[in-house]
Amino acid sequence: MFPPERNFTFSLLGRTYQMAEHPRFAGIPYGQEGRQGTVYKLVCPEDDQSYALKVFRPSFRHPTSIKKAEILKRYAGFSGMRACSRTVIHPQDSKELLGQYPELLYAAVMPWIEAETWNEILTSKRELLPEQCRLLAEAFIHIMMGFEENGLAHTDLTSSNVMIDLSSEEPRVEFVDLEDLYMGEFEEPDELLGGVDGYKALFLQQESLWGPYTDRFSGGILITEMLAWEDSEIREQCWGESYFSPGEMQQPSARRELMYRTLERLYGAALAGLFERLWNAEQLEQCPSFGEWSVILASAEKRSHPKEEESSSGQMASAEYNSDEQSLSDDEQPGSDAWEAADLLPAEEMENRLIKARTLEQQGKFPAALWEYGRLTESFPEQSAIRREIEIVMAKIQETIDQYGDSLKSEGVVRQFQQKASDFNKESSYSKLWIILLGASFIILIIAVLAYLL
């Protein structure tokens, strides 16, 4: 019977693993329950590293997990995806082990991630510093952008599957439960977990979707939770395992209004507008992409400390004025980062351009949207993260134009032809009417002249 009570040791592909003891209960294995199974902590004496043993419930023990594990290893080096590095217990390679513990069939051994879940922070309502909240959201968005750029999706994003390490200045985010990761090489699972109601869109309540945009709604909700968590009222009103309760998704509610007001106050109207768009979306494609979250958040950061910027600018001007020998400070020399940053658009103008480009994209006016996005990129250095994200959006629009360009052009030609034909018909009708009137007048005139002469 698995798990054994204590001192369980086994060998897998030439390596020895020992079950770790629970830190609070002596003699009991350290395990954590999940929806697909239980994760136990292991220690490998050979390298003194910790590992996780995920033992799946019978309904989730699939032979295809062998092939999936090989494909997942390709992404183990991606940010936030250490759990992709795994070894699956195969019947042919571990006959003796499985003979003693058949529950380990297709179990997976992967790195142990020493962190807490976002779920634990939500349920404990633990306070985080404003800088921690922002950096945490940035780290999460960075990983999700990598997913979208590579055609991947977690498909089961919840607060329990997001691991967070706040022990250093830069928060670290890792994802777990990657078994149902979406990618072109995987077949759709027979049973989709579909996420938790506190992260699930109303239009997905009846049917779960499995595709490259699956994470956009749940990921957007997680982003807003992280960004707004510095606010004490947000923490107090948090429902539990998610900020929103299961029954209020995409519905009018006090929590929804509080979230909008908090985001608008902390990060500006543009970012609150992304939340508004997310909340009112009727399909996943209408939800903001993670590249959009990144661009708007970067703009919000520039606006969040205007007084500090004014103060530093004043000090710099004063220093330059008092220095007779130095005409330019080091930070102002051409080619420096500060010099490049001087070309950035004002935050408000950038937001307006971005909104205009996004509106044109939603209206299907792809060439015009591409033009607006292109104008926006000219305001950023070539190697800047913001410019790269805008260029990703531009590349997707260009793909749409390349794929449907002929039909879009044809549709435009047809519309123009129909408009010209309509105008021509109108002109023709007026011309015929005038001809008839002139002809009738001429005939009446001749009759009148003949009558007078006779």
Side-chain angles (χ1 to χ4, degrees):
M1 182 68 181
F2 191 87
E5 291 188 0
R6 59 187 305 166
N7 298 329
F8 171 59
T9 302
F10 69 98
S11 297
L12 178 62
L13 299 178
R15 304 196 69 181
T16 301
Y17 300 92
Q18 183 176 359
M19 184 78 73
E21 192 174 60
H22 197 286
R24 296 180 182 177
F25 305 101
I28 298 178
Y30 185 24
Q32 298 176 347
E33 290 286 340
R35 283 188 287 171
Q36 295 189 23
T38 305
V39 178
Y40 298 94
K41 185 176 181 179
L42 304 176
V43 176
C44 181
E46 298 172 11
D47 58 10
D48 198 28
Q49 295 294 319
S50 297
Y51 294 86
L53 171 66
K54 188 166 186 176
V55 181
F56 295 96
R57 294 188 177 87
S59 58
F60 293 101
R61 296 172 191 165
H62 302 301
T64 55
S65 59
I66 301 291
K67 179 181 178 181
K68 278 189 175 182
E70 293 301 319
I71 298 176
L72 285 172
K73 284 181 181 179
R74 304 176 192 171
Y75 301 96
F78 280 42
S79 177
M81 298 182 71
R82 288 173 55 208
C84 284
S85 177
R86 58 181 60 197
T87 301
V88 176
I89 299 180
H90 193 283
Q92 294 182 352
D93 300 331
S94 307
K95 293 181 179 179
E96 183 177 349
L97 176 63
L98 292 174
Q100 186 177 4
Y101 300 106
E103 299 90 345
L104 295 180
L105 179 64
Y106 301 125
V109 177
M110 62 195 79
W112 176 266
I113 299 173
E114 196 65 52
E116 59 186 330
T117 65
W118 179 242
N119 180 300
E120 291 173 309
I121 294 177
L122 291 177
T123 53
S124 66
K125 299 186 178 182
R126 179 157 62 87
E127 180 181 0
L128 298 182
L129 298 175
E131 185 71 3
Q132 286 180 309
C133 294
R134 181 182 61 80
L135 291 175
L136 179 58
E138 283 181 347
F140 179 83
I141 292 170
H142 175 73
I143 296 174
M144 297 312 301
M145 286 195 312
F147 271 48
E148 281 204 329
E149 291 168 14
N150 290 276
L152 306 176
H154 186 285
T155 74
D156 189 25
L157 274 183
T158 68
S159 60
S160 298
N161 291 336
V162 179
M163 306 292 291
I164 297 168
D165 182 4
L166 298 172
S167 59
S168 59
E169 293 184 2
E170 294 288 336
R172 185 169 59 87
V173 176
E174 293 284 346
F175 289 163
V176 294
D177 284 359
L178 295 168
E179 287 75 27
D180 290 327
L181 186 75
Y182 170 85
M183 63 177 68
E185 297 166 277
F186 281 3
E187 295 182 0
E188 183 175 344
D190 296 332
E191 180 182 355
L192 295 174
L193 294 177
V196 176
D197 288 342
Y199 296 100
K200 193 170 184 180
L202 186 63
F203 57 85
L204 295 177
Q205 294 292 341
Q206 301 300 323
E207 180 182 5
S208 298
L209 298 179
W210 195 68
Y213 303 131
T214 303
D215 295 337
R216 282 195 175 182
F217 188 86
S218 55
I221 296 296
L222 283 164
I223 291 170
T224 59
E225 289 178 345
M226 293 174 183
L227 289 174
W229 196 248
E230 66 175 88
D231 185 83
S232 59
E233 192 173 358
I234 287 286
R235 296 194 299 272
E236 291 171 4
Q237 296 300 320
C238 180
W239 174 76
E241 296 182 354
S242 57
Y243 170 73
F244 294 105
S245 67
E248 65 182 330
M249 300 310 295
Q250 296 191 287
Q251 301 293 323
S253 70
R255 284 194 185 90
R256 182 262 173 215
E257 295 300 323
L258 175 60
M259 177 61 76
Y260 181 88
R261 292 197 309 270
T262 303
L263 293 174
E264 185 178 35
R265 175 173 55 83
L266 295 176
Y267 300 97
L271 195 137
L274 288 186
F275 168 68
E276 183 78 8
R277 228 176 81 205
L278 178 77
W279 195 259
N280 295 323
E282 296 179 353
Q283 55 185 5
L284 289 170
E285 289 79 0
Q286 295 175 350
C287 299
S289 69
F290 294 103
E292 290 179 82
W293 284 106
S294 176
V295 171
I296 294 297
L297 180 56
S299 172
E301 292 167 21
K302 290 179 173 56
R303 296 176 56 189
S304 61
H305 305 291
K307 293 183 180 179
E308 294 179 7
E309 292 176 2
E310 291 175 5
S311 176
S312 61
S313 299
Q315 292 174 0
M316 182 181 293
S318 176
E320 291 174 3
Y321 179 80
N322 293 328
S323 176
D324 296 329
E325 298 178 356
Q326 184 178 4
S327 60
L328 289 175
S329 66
D330 294 338
D331 288 342
E332 292 179 318
Q333 296 299 325
S336 70
D337 293 339
W339 183 272
E340 291 179 342
D343 293 332
L344 295 179
L345 289 172
E348 184 176 356
E349 183 179 349
M350 186 179 75
E351 290 174 9
N352 292 336
R353 284 193 181 181
L354 187 63
I355 292 171
K356 181 179 180 181
R358 179 61 184 173
T359 301
L360 290 169
E361 182 185 353
Q362 289 178 327
Q363 292 174 347
K365 300 177 181 179
F366 298 113
L370 197 62
W371 170 263
E372 290 296 333
Y373 280 125
R375 290 179 59 201
L376 200 55
T377 60
E378 295 173 359
S379 304
F380 299 96
E382 291 186 4
Q383 302 302 322
S384 68
I386 298 177
R387 178 164 179 163
R388 287 198 300 270
E389 296 313 316
I390 297 175
E391 288 174 345
I392 291 169
V393 176
M394 291 175 64
K396 293 180 179 178
I397 294 176
Q398 187 62 56
E399 289 178 5
T400 303
I401 294 175
D402 294 341
Q403 185 175 0
Y404 301 105
D406 293 338
S407 60
L408 292 173
K409 291 177 182 178
S410 300
E411 183 182 0
V413 171
V414 169
R415 287 182 178 176
Q416 292 177 11
F417 178 81
Q418 289 174 342
Q419 182 64 38
K420 290 181 179 180
S422 175
D423 295 340
F424 176 77
N425 290 334
K426 291 178 181 178
E427 293 176 2
S428 299
S429 300
Y430 287 125
S431 299
K432 291 177 181 179
L433 179 61
W434 278 108
I435 292 172
I436 293 172
L437 291 174
L438 287 173
S441 300
F442 184 72
I443 293 172
I444 293 172
L445 181 61
I446 293 175
I447 294 172
V449 171
L450 291 175
Y452 176 77
L453 294 174
L454 297 176

